[in-house]
């Protein structure tokens, strides 16, 4: 089993490094929990760093999130411009709540996995993506594992000719 996993990761490494993305960096919105501003920068031909931050508020409860993710991109050969990506990241959440009988707040730290699809338009400087982000909240409000995270994202490609 270990040999099979080693072969798989070597193959994925070659597949990821043989692909060149068609943009360098982009900025836009992640529509999820919370809605966020997102900046994505490729640091090699197949790997990118995404930084995002957002705010959510409802029923006396609110939080601010700042997160970063490292993602590996690879093409889906049958569709030009379509890539899949996977990766890992970490984030910080600052929670406040006012429940009338129990007011307060705290800071939470989390680690996340990323699995998504990204499509880059050929004729316009736009990228769209959808991802699933299972997260483990280490401390703070809502400790534990949650698999309901993810977002739809729309980003404008900066500096594209």
């Amino acid at each position: 089993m270990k040999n099979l996993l080693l072969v798989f990761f070597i193959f994925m490494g070659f597949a990821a490094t043989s692909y060149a993305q068609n943009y360098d960096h982009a900025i836009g919105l992640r529509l999820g929990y919370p809605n966020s501003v997102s900046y994505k920068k490729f640091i090699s031909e197949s790997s990118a760093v995404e930084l995002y931050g957002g705010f959510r508020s409802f029923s006396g409860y609110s939080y601010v999130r700042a997160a970063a993710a490292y993602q590996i991109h690879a093409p889906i050969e049958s569709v030009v411009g379509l890539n899949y990506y996977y990766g890992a990241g970490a984030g910080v959440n600052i929670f406040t709540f006012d429940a009338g009988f129990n007011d307060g707040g705290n800071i939470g730290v989390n680690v996340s996995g990323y699995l998504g699809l990204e499509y880059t338009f050929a004729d316009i400087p736009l990228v769209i993506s959808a991802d699933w982000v299972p997260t483990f909240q280490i401390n703070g409000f809502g400790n534990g594992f949650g698999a309901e995270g993810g977002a739809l994202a729309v980003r404008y490609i900066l500096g594209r000719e």
Side-chain angles (χ1 to χ4, degrees):
M1 184 67 178
K2 287 182 183 179
N3 290 336
L4 183 62
L5 285 173
L6 178 62
V7 168
F8 173 76
F9 284 115
I10 290 171
F11 172 76
M12 290 305 291
F14 283 124
T17 58
S18 67
Y19 172 69
Q21 85 286 349
N22 54 6
Y23 72 95
D24 184 54
H25 54 143
I27 191 165
L29 298 174
R30 283 181 60 88
L31 307 173
Y33 292 101
N35 292 329
S36 302
V37 174
S38 167
Y39 176 75
K40 188 177 231 179
K41 168 79 172 138
F42 277 85
I43 56 176
S44 74
E45 288 186 2
S46 62
S47 60
V49 173
E50 182 180 2
L51 307 172
Y52 60 94
F55 172 78
R56 180 169 170 89
S57 179
F58 58 94
S59 301
Y61 165 83
S62 62
Y63 69 97
V64 174
R65 173 179 288 164
Y70 175 77
Q71 302 166 347
I72 303 293
H73 289 245
I76 296 176
E77 298 293 338
S78 59
V79 180
V80 175
L82 183 63
N83 301 311
Y84 70 91
Y85 61 91
Y86 57 93
V92 175
N93 300 323
I94 301 171
F95 300 96
T96 61
F97 50 91
D98 179 7
F101 60 90
N102 186 12
D103 300 340
N106 59 26
I107 296 176
V109 176
N110 61 58
V111 293
S112 302
Y114 290 79
L115 181 61
L117 293 171
E118 179 177 271
Y119 182 76
T120 304
F121 290 92
D123 299 333
I124 58 174
L126 197 64
V127 176
I128 59 173
S129 67
D131 58 21
W132 176 52
V133 185
T135 300
F136 184 80
Q137 186 74 26
I138 296 170
N139 66 335
F141 183 77
N143 291 346
F145 179 75
E148 68 279 358
L152 297 172
V154 178
R155 292 184 198 87
Y156 177 77
I157 298 172
L158 300 168
R160 186 174 187 187
E161 298 293 324

